[in-house]
């Protein structure tokens, strides 16, 4: 078996998947609330190579051999996107800078720019994230950062995908006044002429956002709400709702172009290796085989 041939083929498939992931990020650079995704690659388990026979009894160990790499999973990056003003009363942007306290020290974790903190034992803690709460057409609860809402003829507040936006009571929001006559405070409460109404957006906080599953169109679902640590936002949470604004995507276009070229070059390198093996086998069959 030509191990190098299979290793190069596995590398090509992995780089193709990474290329597709970066392309998806670039295609959604202007999608409100879009969170970029990263491909995590992992090597196949190493194989122990031994020499059987030789000068001594039994077998002698030669060493370990890696047999390739594969794209293990796709993970989103929940960093804050830039807020841009739209002037539309039905647009809402979330600005989140939630903290998490280390139970061992009683101090907040010092999250890095990607929103993670690596403990001394190697375990990783992620920054909690806030989401708008919506209900899909089948009645399932979903979560999104895309606040480009609109109001239908029945006064229901709908997301860009047509899902019903939920209020703090867990029910779909039905506005009793035109959206242009309503204002919103920083905690998602609707105001009329400066006075609070009884309607409020339901903002859900996920203590473990990486437990959420991407459901398409910028919408996430929680397979296990308890594991994701879902709860309703409180007034003490460092989450701000801004009316007339939208959160842009957090895609870094410059880094995406670099990643795109890197994946392409690595793909071409593995392709050259396969071509080399092809020529070697052609030589072995057609030339050496004749002798």
């Amino acid at each position: 078996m030509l191990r190098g041939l299979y290793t190069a083929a596995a590398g090509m498939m992995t780089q193709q998947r990474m290329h597709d992931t970066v392309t998806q990020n670039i295609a959604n650079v202007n999608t409100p609330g879009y969170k970029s995704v990263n491909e995590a690659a992992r090597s196949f388990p190493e194989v122990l190579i031994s020499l059987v026979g030789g000068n001594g009894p039994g077998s002698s160990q030669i060493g370990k051999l890696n047999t390739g790499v594969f794209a293990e999973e796709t993970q989103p990056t929940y960093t804050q996107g830039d807020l841009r003003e739209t002037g539309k009363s039905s647009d809402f942007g979330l600005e989140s800078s939630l903290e998490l306290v280390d139970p061992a020290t009683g101090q907040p974790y010092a999250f890095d720019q990607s929103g993670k903190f690596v403990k001394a034992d190697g375990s990783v803690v992620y920054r909690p994230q806030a989401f708008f709460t919506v209900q899909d057409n089948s009645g399932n609860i979903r979560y999104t950062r895309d606040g480009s809402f609109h109001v239908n003829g029945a006064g229901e507040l709908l997301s860009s995908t047509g899902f019903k936006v939920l209020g703090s009571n867990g029910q779909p929001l039905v506005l009793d006044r035109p959206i242009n006559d309503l204002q919103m405070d920083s905690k998602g409460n609707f105001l009329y002429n400066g006075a609070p109404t009884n309607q409020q957006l339901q903002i859900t906080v996920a203590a473990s956002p990486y437990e959420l599953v991407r459901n398409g169109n910028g919408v996430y679902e929680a397979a296990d709400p308890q594991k994701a640590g879902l709860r309703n936002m409180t007034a003490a949470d460092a989450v701000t709702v801004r009316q007339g604004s939208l959160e842009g995507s957090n895609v870094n276009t410059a880094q995406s172009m670099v990643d795109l070229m890197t994946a392409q070059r690595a793909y071409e390198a593995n392709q050259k290796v396969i071509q080399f093996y092809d020529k070697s086998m052609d030589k072995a069959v057609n030339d050496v085989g004749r002798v």
Side-chain angles (χ1 to χ4, degrees), residues 174-198:
V174 181
L175 304 180
D176 52 6
R177 293 181 176 86
I179 187 66
N180 294 330
D181 294 339
L182 296 172
Q183 303 84 42
M184 178 167 288
D185 64 12
S186 61
K187 294 303 178 182
N189 297 291
F190 282 100
L191 309 175
Y192 179 68
N193 291 332
T197 66
N198 294 324

Side-chain angles (χ1 to χ4, degrees), residues 122-141:
S123 60
V124 180
V125 180
Y126 296 98
R127 182 189 293 274
Q129 297 294 330
F131 299 87
F132 296 110
T133 311
V134 297
Q135 184 182 70
D136 67 11
N137 299 327
S138 300
N140 300 310
I141 305 300

Side-chain angles (χ1 to χ4, degrees), residues 26-94:
I26 295 175
N28 287 279
V29 68
N30 293 320
T31 301
Y34 177 80
K35 299 303 178 185
S36 62
V37 292
N38 298 314
E39 200 71 45
R42 179 182 176 184
S43 62
F44 286 113
E46 292 181 334
V47 177
L48 181 63
I49 304 300
S50 301
L51 175 65
V52 179
N55 297 326
S59 63
S60 59
Q61 180 176 326
I62 297 177
K64 294 181 178 180
L65 176 68
N66 193 284
T67 56
V69 65
F70 67 101
E72 183 178 27
E73 60 179 336
T74 301
Q75 286 190 340
T77 302
Y78 291 106
T79 53
Q80 178 72 41
D82 295 331
L83 293 183
R84 57 181 177 86
E85 293 187 7
T86 64
K88 291 181 61 177
S89 300
S90 58
D91 286 344
F92 303 95
L94 276 180

